[in-house]
Amino acid sequence: MSGKHYLYQRGEWWWFKKRHKGKTIREPLETRSLRQAQERRDRILTELNAGRWGEQRDKTFNEAVHKWIDTHLPTLKRKSVMRYRVSLTHLLEDFDGVPLKDITSSKLSDFEARRRKSGATNPTIRRDLDCLSSLFSSCEEWEWLDSNPALGYKRKRARKGLKESPPKTRYLSLEEEDAILSEATPTLYRAVAFAIDTGLRKEEQFSLLKSDIDLAKGVINVRPEITKTTRARQVPLLPRSMEIVKYLLDNVRGPYLFTSPATGKRYSEKSNTFYARLQRTRKRLGVPPVSWHDLRRTAGCRLLNVHRLSMHEVSLWLGHQSIQQTERTYAFLEQERLKEAVEAQSGAQSIIKKAAND
């Protein structure tokens, strides 16, 4: 059973090959180490000798990862794929070659402890477990697992502190917005004002084509291939952003709406050109730090506070997965309103009391 003749190399990797019940079994062992290859070979041979092959053989974590990468990851946006691949690297350190049925809460606890010891934060560990949960959900669909152990584990650990970071609440006040836009170069002004008016994500904004603009209807047609959710949506153009769009349509070269003046090409996904310009401008003014995504949050706040749109309307405008996501994202506004109401009431009571004393 431990004979080396079941192993062979293809390129840098070891493979397993054996004739069993009239058919050839060939599997990649996904290692350059002969020792690891021998251990994985022995696990396969043990299963074969136990009569658990074909549909009855216990599927391993590695097999699930291979199929999941082939079938599920192509349906996701590139950033999500990159995040999942990072998590898979860490998950493989603990579950390499492990049968799916053996990945229990105890094993997940060991994984969390190891990740925490290596310096991973709660949100990072949570994202790793989210990746594993998504993988297990696919395994349920393939009937490789009866249930998803990661779901119950995440719920249990969430009650004990393993949660995502609290939602960020930074957005520009009207005064900060006016100050930044008054000091911005024309190029930065158009980009920032457009972001605040439309609430588009950075990649959505800088992927816009001129053909995505419908001036007659006064809307932006956000294509599904550039959205985070892969769902198309229409975003209305407010008066300021309408003027910006008209200028860009008349003066920008090439098919994209936002392009580099020097090259006439669109800004790359990793370009920090506008972010750097925004930071230089806000620093000169003494405005606290603001990220580009904070401009999108500013848009949501304006839609709720200034334009008085409903939470459902804002959810559709911003392209959130659900209205619940929108409610979680902007729950802090209700707290701000409550605080302002309490302060206003306290101020009024102070004036009344002073008047009575006088």
Side-chain angles (χ1 to χ4, degrees):
M1 182 168 120
S2 59
K4 186 178 175 181
H5 59 280
Y6 294 131
L7 297 176
Y8 69 97
Q9 282 186 292
R10 178 185 292 178
E12 297 182 347
W13 301 102
W14 285 99
W15 282 63
F16 171 88
K17 180 180 179 181
K18 187 182 188 305
R19 290 286 296 176
H20 182 75
K21 294 185 178 181
K23 59 182 178 181
T24 299
I25 302 166
R26 183 183 288 107
E27 291 191 20
L29 298 178
E30 299 179 351
T31 181
R32 299 179 179 87
S33 166
L34 176 60
R35 181 185 61 78
Q36 282 190 330
Q38 290 169 336
E39 292 174 354
R40 295 173 188 179
R41 169 209 59 198
D42 290 347
R43 285 200 293 265
I44 295 173
L45 289 172
T46 298
E47 291 180 348
L48 293 177
N49 290 339
R52 294 180 290 144
W53 183 244
E55 294 300 317
Q56 299 303 314
R57 186 173 72 86
D58 291 329
K59 301 293 187 181
T60 66
F61 181 75
N62 303 61
E63 291 175 288
V65 168
H66 274 295
K67 184 169 182 177
W68 193 63
I69 287 175
D70 289 340
T71 61
H72 183 63
L73 292 197
T75 68
L76 304 177
K77 300 292 287 184
R78 195 170 77 88
K79 286 186 177 179
S80 298
V81 171
M82 292 171 63
R83 174 61 240 179
Y84 277 153
R85 286 189 180 276
V86 171
S87 290
L88 286 173
T89 300
H90 296 296
L91 290 164
L92 278 165
E93 290 186 38
D94 283 62
F95 306 127
D96 185 13
V98 177
L100 292 171
K101 67 180 182 60
D102 292 342
I103 303 178
T104 60
S105 288
S106 175
K107 285 273 198 292
L108 296 178
S109 180
D110 291 342
F111 169 78
E112 180 185 341
R114 184 188 65 76
R115 290 290 283 131
R116 197 175 300 283
K117 187 176 180 180
S118 69
T121 62
N122 275 353
T124 299
I125 297 172
R126 179 80 185 191
R127 284 194 291 271
D128 291 343
L129 293 173
D130 287 342
C131 172
L132 184 62
S133 181
S134 179
L135 171 64
F136 282 163
S137 293
S138 293
C139 289
E140 285 185 286
E141 295 174 8
W142 307 329
E143 298 183 353
W144 288 12
L145 278 176
D146 294 329
S147 62
N148 183 343
L151 282 178
Y153 183 80
K154 287 196 301 177
R155 283 195 294 267
K156 179 181 69 176
R157 293 294 295 123
R159 293 193 292 270
K160 297 182 179 180
L162 186 63
K163 300 178 181 179
E164 288 286 356
S165 298
K168 294 181 179 180
T169 60
R170 173 70 169 120
Y171 68 98
L172 289 176
S173 67
L174 290 169
E175 293 75 18
E176 288 175 328
E177 177 185 342
D178 289 341
I180 288 174
L181 292 181
S182 65
E183 288 290 318
T185 63
T187 301
L188 180 62
Y189 173 94
R190 288 188 287 269
V192 170
F194 186 88
I196 292 174
D197 282 359
T198 63
L200 294 184
R201 299 176 178 91
K202 177 185 174 184
E203 178 62 11
E204 292 173 345
Q205 177 172 345
F206 295 111
S207 296
L208 282 180
L209 297 169
K210 291 179 179 178
S211 56
D212 294 328
I213 308 300
D214 189 333
L215 288 179
K217 294 183 179 179
V219 297
I220 303 166
N221 294 305
V222 188
R223 308 186 310 280
E225 62 268 25
I226 67 173
T227 68
K228 184 177 180 180
T229 61
T230 68
R231 293 201 302 254
R233 72 182 189 277
Q234 285 191 332
V235 174
L237 284 165
L238 297 175
R240 181 172 63 178
S241 50
M242 175 67 84
E243 292 304 312
I244 291 172
V245 163
K246 287 179 178 177
Y247 174 86
L248 294 174
L249 290 176
D250 289 339
N251 293 278
V252 169
R253 294 180 291 162
Y256 288 96
L257 196 64
F258 289 90
T259 60
S260 167
T263 65
K265 297 180 180 179
R266 68 150 287 178
Y267 293 92
S268 71
E269 183 180 346
K270 295 182 179 180
S271 171
N272 69 343
T273 300
F274 284 108
Y275 174 79
R277 291 175 181 174
L278 175 60
Q279 299 314 308
R280 287 196 296 269
T281 303
R282 66 97 186 157
K283 283 180 181 178
R284 287 199 306 270
L285 297 166
V287 173
V290 54
S291 71
W292 199 263
H293 194 80
D294 292 339
L295 302 181
R296 172 172 161 84
R297 192 176 302 109
T298 301
C301 293
R302 297 284 189 273
L303 294 174
L304 289 166
N305 288 343
V306 178
H307 299 285
R308 297 297 178 182
L309 268 61
S310 69
M311 199 67 74
H312 177 67
E313 290 169 326
V314 173
S315 184
L316 294 175
W317 186 304
L318 297 178
H320 283 163
Q321 287 278 11
S322 65
I323 189 173
Q324 289 77 18
Q325 179 185 354
T326 313
E327 290 171 342
R328 288 194 301 270
T329 302
Y330 294 99
F332 70 92
L333 288 180
E334 291 300 322
Q335 297 172 353
E336 287 185 0
R337 290 169 184 164
L338 179 61
K339 181 181 177 183
E340 290 171 0
V342 171
E343 290 175 348
Q345 185 177 14
S346 298
Q349 289 175 346
S350 297
I351 294 172
I352 293 172
K353 185 176 180 180
K354 184 177 184 299
N357 291 335
D358 291 343

